[in-house]
Amino acid sequence: MDTVSADASRERAARGSGEPETVRAVQRALDLIRVMNLRETWTLHELAQASLLAKTTVHRLLATLQESGYVHNPPGKAGLYRLTSQTRELSAGLTAAPRYADAADPIVVATTRTLAWPVSFAIAEPPFMRVVSCGMPHSPAHSAKPTSIGTRHWVFSSAVGRAYLSRCPANEIALVRRKGEAFRDSSDVVLNVPTLASLEADIAGVRSRGYAIRVATRADLNSALAVPVHHGGHVVGSLVCTTFPHSLTDQFVASVLIGLHRAADRIAVACVL
């Protein structure tokens, strides 16, 4: 029997067991945390389906867990929920992503408000970069969507990926490229993996400038400017600022780059500590 089925069985048994409501509520909350630990982010509907609980029950449990600091609901219309690093007290299976997101969230929000453009923080899951913290809801006039949390970007073509690679050692760059080739060969989607020579040349340019850019194509919602998040020789991820497709000018870069680097430094220290 899988975890979700076992949880559902306990839920049904509790209903007919005569247990006090407080005991059942605690059991449901712990079961919900176990379900949430299977994945990074969830919607209310997905959690109701996975836990086999009513949406009203799940919503009430989430509100209680959020008030207690175990669950975070990023601002915005997407209604995504995730566990926080505080659940390490309850679960040993927590990945580093929630810890990084907790450390980055206040800095990402503050930087978005200061720069007036959406800022997001992404960590490496080669051959992708995954957004774990997003300031889009705090820059509504400049956001094409309410949040980008959970979005994955191809490491070789995205600004966040190339900024991350610019601080990686040569052996790790080669490893990421091999992972990219393996994923490309097993995927139905057409994905480009550059030669090692062209990748190293591109990364050298990013390293020299101190930032990476991605100019929007016709299908893109925005252009992006990203800087690496690193501290003491350890690269944590990348911090990216997005703008309108045709607004990535030299003036834009000059207006946000210093603030983006300062925020990246603060996030790196917060994540490494």
Side-chain angles (χ1 to χ4, degrees):
M1 182 179 293
D2 59 29
T3 302
V4 174
S5 298
D7 292 344
S9 296
R10 287 194 296 272
E11 169 69 16
R12 288 192 294 270
R15 289 187 187 130
S17 67
E19 290 179 349
E21 180 59 29
T22 52
V23 174
R24 290 199 296 272
V26 171
Q27 182 66 62
R28 289 170 181 170
L30 292 174
D31 287 347
L32 189 63
I33 288 174
R34 292 189 188 99
V35 171
M36 293 183 73
N37 203 39
L38 298 175
R39 208 171 74 198
E40 176 62 24
T41 56
W42 298 80
T43 64
L44 177 62
H45 178 71
E46 290 170 341
L47 281 172
Q49 285 189 319
S51 65
L52 302 182
L53 294 171
K55 280 188 179 180
T56 53
T57 300
V58 174
H59 187 269
R60 185 170 63 252
L61 291 171
L62 287 170
T64 301
L65 290 169
Q66 185 174 354
E67 184 177 358
S68 301
Y70 293 110
V71 166
H72 179 59
N73 175 211
K77 299 178 181 179
L80 294 176
Y81 296 87
R82 65 168 176 82
L83 297 177
T84 70
S85 59
Q86 189 167 317
T87 55
R88 281 180 294 179
E89 301 170 6
L90 305 175
S91 171
L94 190 66
T95 65
R99 178 169 61 86
Y100 286 168
D102 287 345
D105 277 348
I107 302 170
V108 165
V109 170
T111 306
T112 296
R113 289 171 172 164
T114 299
L115 299 182
W117 291 97
V119 173
S120 299
F121 173 55
I123 62 173
E125 291 182 351
F128 294 95
M129 300 291 293
R130 181 160 61 88
V131 177
V132 297
S133 180
C134 174
M136 283 181 176
H138 301 276
S139 181
H142 300 137
S143 297
K145 52 185 179 180
T147 185
S148 63
I149 290 178
T151 302
R152 297 196 307 171
H153 299 282
W154 189 238
V155 69
F156 306 108
S157 57
S158 63
V160 285
R162 291 160 53 238
Y164 170 80
L165 291 173
S166 72
R167 285 292 171 175
C168 290
N171 62 330
E172 187 170 344
I173 293 171
L175 177 61
V176 171
R177 187 179 174 280
R178 288 196 297 272
K179 288 185 177 181
E181 288 182 322
F183 186 90
R184 176 199 60 191
D185 295 342
S186 64
S187 174
D188 295 331
V189 181
V190 178
L191 296 166
N192 177 56
V193 179
T195 65
L196 187 57
S198 63
L199 180 58
E200 289 176 340
D202 178 45
I203 291 171
V206 173
R207 189 179 297 119
S208 175
R209 291 192 304 271
Y211 63 90
I213 61 171
R214 179 188 54 77
V215 179
T217 64
R218 182 173 298 180
D220 293 323
L221 294 174
N222 51 50
S223 294
L225 166 69
V227 298
V229 177
H230 61 101
H231 180 73
H234 175 60
V235 59
V236 177
S238 297
L239 192 64
V240 61
C241 182
T242 56
T243 183
F244 298 130
H246 304 295
S247 299
L248 189 57
T249 62
D250 290 342
Q251 291 80 4
F252 174 84
V253 173
S255 69
V256 303
L257 189 57
I258 293 177
L260 208 58
H261 273 300
R262 287 175 177 168
D265 290 342
R266 291 173 59 202
I267 290 173
V269 172
C271 287
V272 172
L273 290 180

